[in-house]
Amino acid sequence: MPRLAIEPPPVVSLPIVGTDARFPVRRVYCVGRNYAAHTVEMGGDPNRDAPFFFQKNPDNLDPSGVFPYPSGSSDVHHEAELAVMLESGGVTIPVDRALDHVYGYALALDMTRRDLQGEQKSLRRPWEIGKAFERSAPVGPVYPAAKIGHPVSGRIALSVNGKIRQDGDLGQMIWKVPEMISYLSEYFELAGGDVILSGTPSGVAAVERGDVMELKVTGFAALEVRVV
């Protein structure tokens, strides 16, 4: 093993339901506008031909249940998502074999500095400043697919301070999980530890310090996150 010039950062890992083992995170891919109603509310066309993706950083995933309101923004939005955790990967993965590579699933939030994202969009620049900031992806524990199967439908809903804001169904995804995995593998070599945030229903909106967000998906324990 080569001698390292500085101490390497710790491996980002997430708790797994039913075991003391943890899921190590390699990369984080996020699909944009994957629910028709959300695509419309963001000014897009829900009938476009192919998905598009952006990335967050592994250490953006945060299972602490606390979301620190980030600097540089006055318009931070919640986006409720189902996260897909891969145990293996490859390239040009066929759709009908894609689920073979899934380890499990978790609940997650794609927190977004919407004002900064909008500025970058208007300048035709990348979105990372609005998406990939510290602790921008609150996440719950990983549920192994071997125990819960592969969710294809079920309510996904997010409330803030007890009031529902986002309310949809996993079955409303434009591009299903196997299709996302297959499409990504045409452009990236996927591997175990990769995480895919699968998109959000309509109803995204701003949060403020003191808010309590609660994400519920059928078959999962609720994910509660406090904004501080």
Side-chain angles (χ1 to χ4, degrees), residues 46-110:
N47 299 310
R48 65 192 184 284
D49 293 333
F52 72 91
F53 293 84
F54 57 93
Q55 288 184 272
K56 286 182 180 279
N57 301 308
D59 61 359
N60 293 159
L61 295 175
D62 181 10
S64 71
V66 175
F67 172 69
Y69 200 96
S71 61
S73 176
S74 59
D75 188 24
V76 178
H77 286 204
H78 55 71
E79 297 190 9
E81 315 235 353
L82 178 71
V84 183
M85 278 64 181
L86 301 188
E87 65 180 4
S88 58
V91 295
T92 60
I93 297 171
V95 171
D96 61 357
R97 299 301 303 272
L99 292 181
D100 295 345
H101 299 277
V102 175
Y103 177 83
Y105 301 87
L107 306 189
L109 295 171
D110 170 18

Side-chain angles (χ1 to χ4, degrees), residues 141-227:
V142 179
Y143 287 72
K147 294 184 178 180
I148 68 166
H150 297 283
V152 295
S153 63
R155 189 186 188 199
I156 175 171
L158 183 131
S159 62
V160 176
N161 303 327
K163 296 182 179 180
I164 292 290
R165 289 191 179 178
Q166 294 185 260
D167 198 352
D169 193 280
L170 298 177
Q172 297 169 341
M173 288 184 190
I174 299 172
W175 300 287
K176 312 305 182 186
V177 171
E179 295 168 326
M180 284 185 271
I181 294 171
S182 180
Y183 184 87
L184 270 172
S185 73
E186 296 289 335
Y187 297 93
F188 300 92
E189 183 171 358
L190 301 180
D194 287 348
V195 175
I196 302 171
L197 300 190
S198 59
T200 193
S202 60
V204 300
V207 296
E208 299 178 356
R209 291 178 179 85
D211 285 345
V212 177
M213 302 178 287
E214 185 178 55
L215 172 56
K216 293 183 178 181
V217 174
T218 303
F220 294 79
L223 172 63
E224 183 175 287
V225 180
R226 293 181 293 110
V227 183

